[in-house]
Amino acid sequence: VNKLRHRGKWNARPRDAANLAQWLSWTYERPLSWQVVDIDAPLAELCDAPVLYISGAGACEFTAAQTDKLRDYVLRGGLIISEAAANSAEFTLDMQECCRSMFPDAALTPLGKDHPLLAGPGAADSLGGAVAVDNGIRPLVIHSPMELSGSLQMGYDRGDARSNAIYEALARIYLYSTDNG
């Protein structure tokens, strides 16, 4: 799992990606790691992982070159998962604009409760109105306008059903993006 460093508040919850990677490793008994990659790093660094996690609280404006790099990452098989830390409406609007720039012919559509990625108890509710850009074959970008990182920061199995559902929903998305690998 790669966590993207970008201009703005990208690291409001510094242990979110680490906790998710650790939980996935324990749960699926497979070694999994995470790293921070900079938006201006070479494309090859972004392609180190099948999932690029973008968190943000506040403005997040990507340059045209950065948007092109994100598009290239997705077109090479990667999946972008973004979330609005602290339920940041400004970040959500900026991510919607980024998606429109990357894929002008594709619309952000709600991930309904019947979507295979959200199968399971509480998954659709846990991702808080998630939307996706889909090319008809697979999701390319998934964005949650509700904060996920707070639950990831706190860890799994604290007796919090919503937090546990977030972990489980993100696990399904990760497994989907790696063909259950």
Side-chain angles (χ1 to χ4, degrees):
V1 176
N2 282 339
K3 182 174 181 177
L4 189 70
R5 178 185 308 139
H6 56 83
R7 286 184 299 148
K9 297 175 185 170
W10 67 274
N11 202 24
R13 311 282 187 249
R15 296 294 301 162
D16 53 0
N19 287 345
L20 178 61
Q22 182 180 49
W23 181 80
L24 287 167
S25 291
W26 287 342
T27 302
Y28 296 100
E29 298 179 354
R30 294 185 165 243
L32 185 70
S33 62
W34 73 283
Q35 66 181 355
V36 173
V37 293
D38 193 87
I39 185 64
D40 293 318
L43 178 61
E45 286 186 33
L46 271 66
C47 292
D48 282 346
V51 173
L52 180 63
Y53 170 64
I54 305 175
S55 180
C60 173
E61 296 177 12
F62 296 115
T63 66
Q66 292 167 340
T67 301
D68 290 344
K69 186 182 302 180
L70 293 172
R71 179 186 316 104
D72 289 346
Y73 167 78
V74 169
L75 294 177
R76 290 177 184 224
L79 171 67
I80 294 174
I81 299 173
S82 61
E83 65 96 27
N87 301 331
S88 172
E90 189 174 15
F91 181 78
T92 291
L93 291 173
D94 286 346
M95 281 307 298
Q96 290 171 347
E97 180 57 36
C98 179
C99 289
R100 281 191 292 276
S101 295
M102 284 191 292
F103 304 105
D105 296 331
L108 276 166
T109 57
L111 285 179
K113 292 184 180 193
D114 59 338
H115 195 283
L117 290 176
L118 300 181
D125 297 329
S126 68
L127 292 185
V131 293
V133 174
D134 193 299
N135 66 358
I137 299 170
R138 68 181 184 94
L140 307 173
V141 180
I142 297 172
H143 175 73
S144 175
M146 290 184 61
E147 179 175 60
L148 308 176
S149 57
S151 292
L152 297 175
Q153 176 81 11
M154 297 303 293
Y156 185 86
D157 202 18
R158 299 175 291 109
D160 182 348
R162 181 178 185 277
S163 290
N164 292 351
I166 288 171
Y167 272 87
E168 292 161 13
L170 291 174
R172 279 191 292 282
I173 292 169
Y174 180 82
L175 290 170
Y176 176 85
S177 70
T178 61
D179 198 23
N180 291 322

